[in-house]
Amino acid sequence: MLEQVLRDIDQSHDASLNALKEFLAIPSISTSPEHKADCRRCAQWAANKLSAIGFAATARDTPGHPVVVAKNTHQPGRPTVLVYGHYDVQPPEPLDPWVSPPFEPTVRKTPDGHDAIYARGAVDDKGQTWAHMYALAMWQKHGGVPVNITFIIEGEEEVGSPNLAPFIAANKDELKCDVALVSDTQQFARGIPAITYGLRGLVYMEVKVTGADHDLHSGLYGGAVPNPANILCEILATLHDQSGKVMIENFYDGVIPLTAGERAEWKKLPFNDEKFFADLKLSSGFGEAGYSTIERKWARPTCDINGLTSGYQGPGAKTIIPSSASAKVSMRLVPNQDPKNIAEAFTRHIERVKSEKGWKGVKVEVHAHSSAPPALVPTDGPAVQCALKAMEIGFGEKPTLMREGGSIPIVSTFKSLLEVDTLLVGFGLPDDRIHSPNEKFDLDALFKGTRTLAALYALLGSLKT
């Protein structure tokens, strides 16, 4: 039966692509109140598509955007797979660099000559979610998916999923499963599909320094009052030493070292430092001493300034001492760093610097915005072996195992609330420009990813519960 399903997928590329274009054309920008109705429309579009193939599907209200829940007919004795995706997308700005409008999906050649669909959300995550939906549709044409499926598609991933964990907690019995499956990750490179088994966590903080209650003339007041921008720069300069090591006390506590086996396997991967930096228009890289670029990206913790705000930033000159200055700082965490401990250590560091410097006349505040724990999925379980085999069927290439530097908070949510591990089976490419203008999804990845998922459902269905 799987061969028939794969054949149908291979012979219906146009139908799949046309439906994906409908999905991508809906501007479901979760962070924008102006697009609240679009988010609801997008959720209903997905629910309708799943209902049309025989799933019991509804778009359910939350305090934010709706969550789509869909199920096939669950049969006793079959494993249950919880499939996760998200229909919300990042804002498309800046608009000028887009070659085609972000919500007018367009197929064209990539710079290296491959066909891809360009649109906001193409790969993150509508395209990958659609690959699941289409694989399920093809199975339904041939007697039904050979495994119990619960599909959950949320609309707030790009704003931190504030309502998803409460939704899952309130519906634990309905969402009970044997394994979770997420497609929101990447291949290692074109021609090298991959199963991701590790994700970095995240702590996102903000530091604000406040001085006078309004901006001051730098000639009349300069040298006589504290300058919040100067002080903020001094604070931020203490976060690293010259080699790039993070200087927050206890920051590296609990970090699990890379194994010799991991380092050896990653060294075999066809990764070229020179090309990697050249593609970014950089002459060289920078990072923690003693680690390769891949190791720094995938398995070492970081501390980065994400944004700085202070004073006059318009054209020309304006001679002021700003009344306030702020910086947003993210820290990517690795197993076994604890987000709560890291947030507290960061706050203590800022307070200690302020005390040591002895600044008077300013207020220094630290605010926590969001966090997510790191994740490390065991690679020796039967579900991962199914995923490796499925990807070889789908792509015709043996996949590799890799970690990824980003964060997917739902993985830890599934572990803590449903007590299941997550398969991370994604199909994006490193140059897909996620969150940037001209986001794309390679059509080869879309179609081979759909084949992979069709095979994976069959293989998971054969596991014992």
Side-chain angles (χ1 to χ4, degrees), residues 24-150:
L24 293 171
I26 304 171
S28 48
I29 305 166
S30 53
T31 192
S32 171
E34 297 175 4
H35 291 280
K36 183 177 181 179
D38 291 317
C39 288
R40 179 170 292 279
R41 179 162 61 97
C42 196
Q44 194 59 57
W45 184 94
N48 291 345
K49 285 291 184 183
L50 289 164
S51 294
I53 65 171
F55 275 54
T58 54
R60 304 189 189 177
D61 287 336
T62 74
H65 301 304
V67 172
V68 177
V69 179
K71 289 189 174 190
N72 64 343
T73 302
H74 286 200
Q75 298 183 26
R78 284 183 171 181
T80 299
V81 181
L82 178 62
V83 181
Y84 165 89
H86 66 90
Y87 64 80
D88 66 317
V89 300
Q90 284 275 328
E93 287 82 7
L95 297 176
D96 286 347
W98 285 88
V99 174
S100 52
F103 296 106
E104 294 180 18
T106 303
V107 174
R108 62 175 181 272
K109 296 288 185 183
T110 65
D112 54 0
H114 298 277
D115 290 324
I117 185 166
Y118 286 81
R120 172 56 82 231
V123 70
D124 182 24
D125 181 44
K126 286 183 178 179
Q128 301 201 66
T129 299
W130 174 249
H132 280 279
M133 296 170 71
Y134 200 70
L136 293 171
M138 294 300 98
W139 265 113
Q140 293 294 90
K141 287 177 57 179
H142 294 281
V145 191
V147 66
N148 296 335
I149 297 286
T150 301

Side-chain angles (χ1 to χ4, degrees), residues 59-369:
R60 304 189 189 177
D61 287 336
T62 74
H65 301 304
V67 172
V68 177
V69 179
K71 289 189 174 190
N72 64 343
T73 302
H74 286 200
Q75 298 183 26
R78 284 183 171 181
T80 299
V81 181
L82 178 62
V83 181
Y84 165 89
H86 66 90
Y87 64 80
D88 66 317
V89 300
Q90 284 275 328
E93 287 82 7
L95 297 176
D96 286 347
W98 285 88
V99 174
S100 52
F103 296 106
E104 294 180 18
T106 303
V107 174
R108 62 175 181 272
K109 296 288 185 183
T110 65
D112 54 0
H114 298 277
D115 290 324
I117 185 166
Y118 286 81
R120 172 56 82 231
V123 70
D124 182 24
D125 181 44
K126 286 183 178 179
Q128 301 201 66
T129 299
W130 174 249
H132 280 279
M133 296 170 71
Y134 200 70
L136 293 171
M138 294 300 98
W139 265 113
Q140 293 294 90
K141 287 177 57 179
H142 294 281
V145 191
V147 66
N148 296 335
I149 297 286
T150 301
F151 206 154
I152 183 169
I153 311 174
E154 70 153 322
E156 297 180 326
E157 195 273 348
E158 301 293 3
V159 291
S161 303
N163 294 296
L164 187 59
F167 182 90
I168 292 172
N171 296 277
K172 286 176 65 173
D173 290 342
E174 183 182 11
L175 300 176
K176 185 179 179 181
C177 61
D178 298 294
V179 65
L181 174 57
V182 173
S183 296
D184 198 6
T185 51
Q186 299 182 346
Q187 304 175 61
F188 178 76
R190 183 180 298 281
I192 308 178
I195 304 297
T196 300
Y197 70 95
L199 297 164
R200 290 196 290 192
L202 175 69
V203 169
Y204 200 97
M205 308 291 287
E206 184 168 1
V207 182
K208 184 174 183 180
V209 182
T210 306
D213 65 354
H214 60 281
D215 292 347
L216 303 172
H217 188 293
S218 65
L220 298 178
Y221 294 93
V225 298
N227 185 318
N230 291 354
I231 290 171
L232 179 64
C233 289
E234 287 191 61
I235 292 172
L236 299 177
T238 69
L239 293 176
H240 302 86
D241 67 11
Q242 290 185 335
S243 71
K245 181 181 178 182
V246 179
M247 298 303 292
I248 298 170
E249 189 175 358
N250 303 124
F251 183 78
Y252 293 96
D253 288 0
V255 170
I256 296 178
L258 279 165
T259 66
E262 283 178 310
R263 300 189 85 168
E265 287 300 313
W266 295 358
K267 197 171 183 179
K268 295 176 186 176
L269 293 170
F271 184 86
N272 183 287
D273 269 30
E274 186 175 334
K275 183 180 185 305
F276 176 76
F277 295 120
D279 287 346
L280 301 174
K281 303 297 186 290
L282 293 171
S283 59
S284 64
F286 176 79
E288 189 180 1
Y291 296 92
S292 69
T293 300
I294 282 183
E295 290 168 351
R296 292 169 183 162
K297 278 164 39 73
W298 290 356
R300 295 301 296 169
T302 65
C303 178
D304 285 299
I305 299 165
N306 299 144
L308 290 165
T309 302
S310 186
Y312 179 68
Q313 298 175 39
K318 184 179 181 183
T319 52
I320 60 162
I321 294 172
S323 63
S324 66
S326 66
K328 293 184 178 180
V329 179
S330 70
M331 287 159 281
R332 296 287 176 173
L333 313 183
V334 301
N336 275 341
Q337 288 178 297
D338 179 81
K340 182 175 181 290
N341 292 344
I342 294 298
E344 291 173 353
F346 179 87
T347 301
R348 287 195 302 270
H349 178 86
I350 303 303
E351 291 172 346
R352 183 167 56 251
V353 171
K354 180 178 183 293
S355 176
E356 291 173 355
K357 295 289 186 178
W359 294 305
K360 305 294 184 183
V362 294
K363 180 168 66 173
V364 179
E365 301 169 279
V366 181
H367 303 282
H369 284 286

